[in-house]
Amino acid sequence: FWSGIVITNTIETCQALLVTKRTDVFGNETARTNYYLTFEWNGQRREFHVKDHEYGLLTEGDKGTLTFQGTRMLSFERKS
């Protein structure tokens, strides 16, 4: 059955700048943290939910090659 929603599986790669990092802490008895990175390229800006180790390796202002699929970041390779 056709729902009218089109999901793209296109993997995109671009040169991007990491503009902001943020965390969201939630939970009562046990605190949990979500990690987010926001990248900018070609006048576009997009935020990705990432794992803690990916968050920890990057710094605002990093430039490099961003690979993503829809709303999911696949990788970010920093340029030296």
Side-chain angles (χ1 to χ4, degrees):
F1 125 46
W2 172 251
S3 66
I5 298 172
V6 177
I7 298 173
T8 178
N9 290 332
T10 304
I11 295 175
E12 299 181 59
T13 300
C14 61
Q15 296 306 304
L17 169 68
L18 175 56
V19 290
T20 60
K21 295 173 67 172
R22 75 176 181 92
T23 58
D24 177 35
V25 179
F26 64 96
N28 294 328
E29 311 249 333
T30 305
R32 294 182 178 258
T33 306
N34 283 326
Y35 299 90
Y36 299 93
L37 300 174
T38 301
F39 291 92
E40 191 172 80
W41 68 95
N42 297 335
Q44 295 184 56
R45 185 178 276 223
R46 188 172 300 176
E47 181 178 74
F48 297 96
H49 179 235
V50 297
K51 295 183 177 6
D52 59 346
H53 67 275
E54 294 169 315
Y55 181 90
L57 290 173
L58 300 172
T59 303
E60 289 180 8
D62 282 350
K63 295 177 184 177
T65 304
L66 172 65
T67 303
F68 62 96
Q69 187 172 20
T71 58
R72 187 172 59 136
M73 182 180 102
L74 301 175
S75 67
F76 181 71
E77 198 172 316
R78 193 172 38 210
K79 282 191 177 175
S80 356

